[in-house]
Amino acid sequence: FLAAGVSWAQQPLTLVSWTTTFLAAGVSWAQQPEGPPELLVQYGTPRTATTFQFQALCAAACLRHGPTRVFCGACSGGAVRNEAQSTHRSIVCKTHSLDDARRVVRSASSRTPMLFVTARNASVLAENTAACDGDAWRATARNLAREWGGLEPAYVQIVEILESRGHFIVRDLDRVLGGLGRVGAASDAATRTDALDALVAYMRYWDRLRSCCGPQMSADYRARLAGNPAAGRDAGDPGYAACETIRVDAVERLLVETALFRQCARDIPQLAALQAPPAKSGAVATPVLDGQYCARAPKHRRANSGTGGASAPNATGASSEPSSLL
């Protein structure tokens, strides 16, 4: 995979030892003996930032296993594609149906299932003054497990904490998944840090871009593009996307230049998409991001040509816009 600056060298006759060199990010690691293939199920009700979590899980799976060993798609109907079951080390699927999530998790026979959930908990910040410590979600996970009859989330992304931490919330996945640079790389701090930085960089731009470009852009920005700024949120609202302050086309170029995008997007269409896949079981997203998608879209030309904003997003941008995350 030289075009992306990535080289996978797999030793013959064994899956126990193979070496991946993530040249673009300066990461080199040796994969240890692998356990059962994994199944990461993303569930949440609409408007709780489910696509943000799904996107982060797809990106993390690529860092852990390599782009040709990951499938990201819908899991509606309680099933995923049969071919994905047999050919991918990691399957990441998304659903808004708790029944579907329950069926997929409980029907997993040859894979290790992990349930990732998005939820609201307005009291969590008041109860946890150190909500940014990465553990404030655990009480919510325990409560949901009791409510769902023992169906236990591996992790809960709480909307209120996402609004507080922004895209940096994806750092939690390093601990929850047991390391990003390689499966179970708990002792290799340098590798984990490099891989985590690659994930944060990708999600920084993707999250910002999704609020300011495409069919699920911020309602505030959509109203302003339509000439009706009064319909959106006030600039003092913490959920205000502030898309007018950036060059949207420049943010897209920064996204496609990230090491993770170049490593993974060709083989995992979801990572070049702004939307989740269609709800049909096993469906995958349509990739659109190529560095010029937002500039080509007529509804963005006026915003991009009429402002001289910064060429990069700030750290508290689109993550504070839950209304733009389905």
Side-chain angles (χ1 to χ4, degrees):
F1 198 0
L2 298 178
V6 182
S7 173
W8 279 273
Q10 187 157 341
Q11 295 184 9
L13 304 180
T14 180
L15 289 175
V16 171
S17 177
W18 55 287
T19 300
T20 302
T21 305
F22 194 174
L23 298 177
V27 180
S28 177
W29 62 87
Q31 195 101 341
Q32 296 301 305
E34 297 179 304
E38 66 187 15
L39 173 61
L40 310 182
V41 180
Q42 195 289 314
Y43 161 73
T45 58
R47 300 297 190 189
T48 58
T50 56
T51 301
F52 177 92
Q53 186 181 63
F54 177 63
Q55 199 78 9
L57 287 170
C58 289
C62 181
L63 287 171
R64 284 162 54 80
H65 300 287
T68 63
R69 294 153 62 90
V70 175
F71 171 82
C72 295
C75 52
S76 300
V80 292
R81 297 194 317 184
N82 291 333
E83 57 267 35
Q85 289 278 11
S86 61
T87 62
H88 295 83
R89 289 297 303 174
S90 181
I91 295 176
V92 186
C93 73
K94 178 182 187 291
T95 181
H96 286 308
S97 166
L98 180 58
D99 288 339
D100 282 350
R102 191 191 311 272
R103 281 192 292 267
V104 171
V105 168
R106 292 183 172 172
S107 64
S109 57
S110 60
R111 293 181 178 270
T112 300
M114 298 179 72
L115 177 62
F116 291 80
V117 176
T118 60
R120 296 183 181 275
N121 184 349
S123 64
V124 68
L125 294 182
E127 295 172 355
N128 297 273
T129 55
C132 292
D133 65 3
D135 290 318
W137 58 270
R138 295 185 185 278
T140 302
R142 291 192 293 270
N143 292 337
L144 290 175
R146 287 193 294 268
E147 179 183 337
W148 293 343
L151 181 64
E152 186 172 354
Y155 175 74
V156 180
Q157 176 186 280
I158 299 175
V159 172
E160 288 79 5
I161 296 179
L162 173 61
E163 292 174 354
S164 174
R165 294 177 63 189
H167 61 273
F168 291 105
I169 199 170
V170 301
R171 291 183 176 274
D172 291 353
L173 297 181
D174 181 55
R175 287 187 295 170
V176 174
L177 292 171
L180 296 180
R182 62 175 179 176
V183 175
S187 63
D188 193 342
T191 293
R192 291 180 67 177
T193 298
D194 289 336
L196 185 55
D197 287 348
L199 176 62
V200 170
Y202 170 85
M203 291 303 297
R204 175 193 295 271
Y205 298 131
W206 181 88
D207 185 31
R208 193 74 162 108
L209 192 63
R210 187 165 179 268
S211 283
C212 301
C213 176
Q216 294 181 345
M217 73 168 68
S218 160
D220 303 312
Y221 191 42
R222 191 182 300 277
R224 283 168 170 75
L225 290 176
N228 186 20
R233 288 174 169 161
D234 184 83
D237 191 308
Y240 175 57
C243 295
E244 314 89 271
T245 66
I246 65 170
R247 287 287 303 273
V248 177
D249 53 344
V251 175
E252 183 181 359
R253 289 195 297 271
L254 290 170
L255 173 67
V256 301
E257 290 170 1
T258 61
L260 195 148
F261 188 98
R262 289 186 287 121
Q263 179 192 7
C264 301
R266 187 179 72 174
D267 293 292
I268 306 176
Q270 182 63 45
L271 296 181
L274 288 172
Q275 291 180 272
K280 181 181 177 181
S281 180
V284 298
T286 300
V288 296
L289 299 173
D290 57 8
Q292 298 181 339
Y293 168 76
C294 294
R296 289 195 304 267
K299 57 190 172 186
H300 299 296
R301 287 178 188 148
R302 175 173 49 165
N304 287 335
S305 61
T307 61
S311 62
N314 59 49
T316 58
S319 293
S320 299
E321 180 59 19
S323 63
S324 71
L325 299 173
L326 298 181

